[in-house]
Amino acid sequence: MEEAEWGQVSHSLTAPRRAAAKLADFAARQGQTLLIGDDEGRPAQVLFGLGAGARLAHFRELGGRLAAGEYRLEGPLGVDPTAAAVAFASGAYRFDRYRKATPQAHLAPPEGADPGLIRAQVHALALARDMINTPANDMGPLQIETIAREIAEAHGAAFQVTTGEALLEAGYPAVHAVGRAAAAHRSPRMIEFAWGDTGPRLAIVGKGVAFDTGGLDIKPTAGMRLMKKDMGGAAHALALARMVMAAGLPVRLSVLVPAVENAISADAMRPGDVIASRKGLTIEVGNTDAEGRLILADALTRAAELEPDLTLDFATLTGAARVALGPDLPPFYTDDEALAGAITAAALAAQDPLWRMPLWPGYEAALASDIADITNEPDAWAQAGSVTAALFLKRFAPSGAWAHLDIFGWNPRGRPGWPKGAEAQGLLALFAMLKARYV
């Protein structure tokens, strides 16, 4: 309830419950939670403060605060009931694959909510977070492929994968170059599936670097510690695709996931190497730790061949994006003004934050190479690492509407509703945008 409603609500409580609220100084301030027992001391009611007004973040926080049990919401919510239920479940999420499972709080669908949509969105968000949280020894390129295959088969999508040396013959030389140093059972692969027979073509692309050592330009220990999450783009792409298919959006969906491990071995790509790309552009490898844009170059070129109406790509691409906007606010890039407006409006409506950053053409010169068509390590004078990475991808992206999301996919600090670990970012906003665009 809101603070302004507390006076009226308090008078409706029994005298013992009103006394308990007074003793706890409960006044419906934002985030205040009070568990009230019945006459026999058993949990009976939870009072939760919304402060000056309801936001979905409040319901997510509530899901993270409550003890295990079954709950239902009473009174006016002030937000969409389906969205409130999804937020609650997101806050109650726990990753327990490697330890004894802890019971979670569960919420009955509020009045007016869509149980099917709740289920689909909650499962998709949990999928992305589970994939990112899983360490690289259990989430390699093969495991990414397996999950993608299961999702595709569950929805009747046509699935194909190209692996190892076959990538060269199939025209994915950059994917091969990045992933060839990995062990044979973790060999690079290009994953693709297609769903839907009619409607505009929607392409979703996700960076699937199962682990990033940095290659021969090896990362320091601190920089490598969280690199299990470098496949977060693939996790987001698969989660969004699952939402699209579950909702039956009238599109022809193509999902493209290059999955590799950026490992170190005698066959690893070297700084200074010049590699080929599917588009025909040669790329000088200025830094082997800028590998994500290399595999996305081939994947985006493949997307362009499909002539999509819209292309969305997700990647945990640059630390520079975090320097600019921090861990909670992912940037997106597009030159399409209508698409930018639609994404921004959907992010505000879904309360799922995204922030547009510029594809500033003045920095394109920083991508020039002395011996190749382009370099993956922009000149230092440009400084804006997330912008120059997006400009690199733009050289390979489809000519139609395209947006690139440089996500973090991680909560670096734990708090109620946002446990430390994997986070799904921008998915609800983009799904809302897609529904508005195609339904």
Side-chain angles (χ1 to χ4, degrees):
M1 72 203 74
E2 298 181 18
E3 282 186 81
E5 301 169 332
W6 170 237
Q8 180 180 352
V9 172
S10 64
H11 286 299
S12 68
L13 299 177
T14 63
R17 294 184 180 185
R18 192 162 53 249
K22 183 175 181 181
L23 184 64
D25 191 32
F26 183 87
R29 291 185 290 273
Q30 181 179 324
Q32 276 193 307
T33 307
L34 178 64
L35 176 63
I36 296 178
D38 60 17
D39 294 340
E40 297 180 7
R42 294 172 299 193
Q45 188 176 33
V46 176
L47 302 180
F48 184 65
L50 299 175
R55 290 187 58 79
L56 293 176
H58 299 150
F59 294 92
R60 181 163 178 167
E61 180 182 348
L62 180 61
R65 285 186 179 276
L66 293 180
E70 302 292 331
Y71 298 87
R72 61 185 177 87
L73 296 172
E74 292 184 348
L77 303 183
V79 294
D80 176 77
T82 297
V86 172
F88 183 99
S90 294
Y93 168 86
R94 299 291 182 273
F95 182 68
D96 51 25
R97 176 171 176 172
Y98 298 99
R99 58 186 177 188
K100 184 178 179 181
T102 55
Q104 298 178 13
H106 294 279
L107 182 70
E111 184 178 352
D114 182 339
L117 184 56
I118 293 171
R119 190 179 308 111
Q121 292 192 349
V122 168
H123 287 177
L125 297 174
L127 167 74
R129 295 166 81 178
D130 284 349
M131 289 182 69
I132 296 169
N133 273 322
T134 301
N137 59 311
D138 287 329
M139 188 56 66
L142 175 59
Q143 286 75 28
I144 296 172
E145 174 195 329
T146 300
I147 292 170
R149 187 186 299 274
E150 290 174 349
I151 292 170
E153 290 179 350
H155 294 278
F159 185 90
Q160 63 179 2
V161 60
T162 307
T163 306
E165 296 302 308
L167 289 165
L168 295 174
E169 184 177 348
Y172 298 106
V175 177
H176 178 269
V178 173
R180 72 189 186 210
H185 68 286
R186 299 175 71 84
S187 59
R189 59 206 66 212
M190 185 67 200
I191 302 162
E192 180 175 346
F193 63 85
W195 172 89
D197 298 322
T198 59
R201 173 77 65 183
L202 168 64
I204 301 178
V205 181
K207 171 190 168 186
V209 178
F211 192 81
D212 182 17
T213 65
L216 292 178
D217 288 315
I218 190 169
K219 292 179 182 288
T221 299
M224 210 184 298
R225 178 62 181 85
L226 290 181
M227 284 302 99
K228 68 176 184 179
K229 78 175 187 66
D230 212 20
M231 37 60 65
H236 278 64
L238 294 174
L240 182 59
R242 186 169 168 175
M243 287 187 196
V244 168
M245 292 186 291
L249 295 190
V251 296
R252 291 175 295 142
L253 173 67
S254 291
V255 180
L256 305 162
V257 174
V260 302
E261 178 172 14
N262 189 19
I264 299 172
S265 77
D267 196 29
M269 64 178 178
R270 295 162 289 267
D273 282 358
V274 174
I275 65 174
S277 71
R278 185 176 184 87
K279 189 169 184 176
L281 297 177
T282 55
I283 306 171
E284 182 180 10
V285 180
N287 190 323
T288 64
D289 195 21
E291 84 299 330
R293 65 199 69 183
L294 298 178
I295 64 173
L296 286 173
D298 276 357
L300 286 169
T301 300
R302 169 59 183 155
E305 294 165 4
L306 301 172
E307 299 182 345
D309 171 70
L310 171 63
T311 303
L312 302 173
D313 83 68
F314 297 86
T316 51
L317 205 60
T318 69
R322 313 289 80 78
V323 173
L325 297 175
D328 296 344
L329 185 56
F332 75 92
Y333 294 84
T334 182
D335 269 345
D336 188 301
E337 294 301 324
L339 178 59
I343 292 175
T344 299
L348 289 172
Q351 298 178 32
D352 187 17
L354 293 169
W355 191 265
R356 187 187 186 188
M357 291 274 278
L359 283 163
W360 182 247
Y363 296 150
E364 288 179 354
L367 298 172
S369 165
D370 293 333
I371 62 172
D373 292 319
I374 193 171
T375 178
N376 75 331
E377 184 182 37
D379 289 339
W381 63 261
Q383 300 185 58
S386 182
V387 177
T388 52
L391 288 169
F392 179 96
L393 296 182
K394 183 183 175 184
R395 294 284 296 273
F396 301 88
S399 58
W402 162 68
H404 158 62
L405 287 90
D406 191 343
I407 61 172
F408 191 44
W410 195 260
N411 291 318
R413 66 183 179 102
R415 59 201 191 278
W418 288 263
K420 186 176 181 179
E423 185 56 82
Q425 297 182 310
L427 289 175
L428 295 176
L430 290 177
F431 179 69
M433 180 274 292
L434 292 174
K435 284 183 66 178
R437 185 182 181 100
Y438 293 119
V439 176

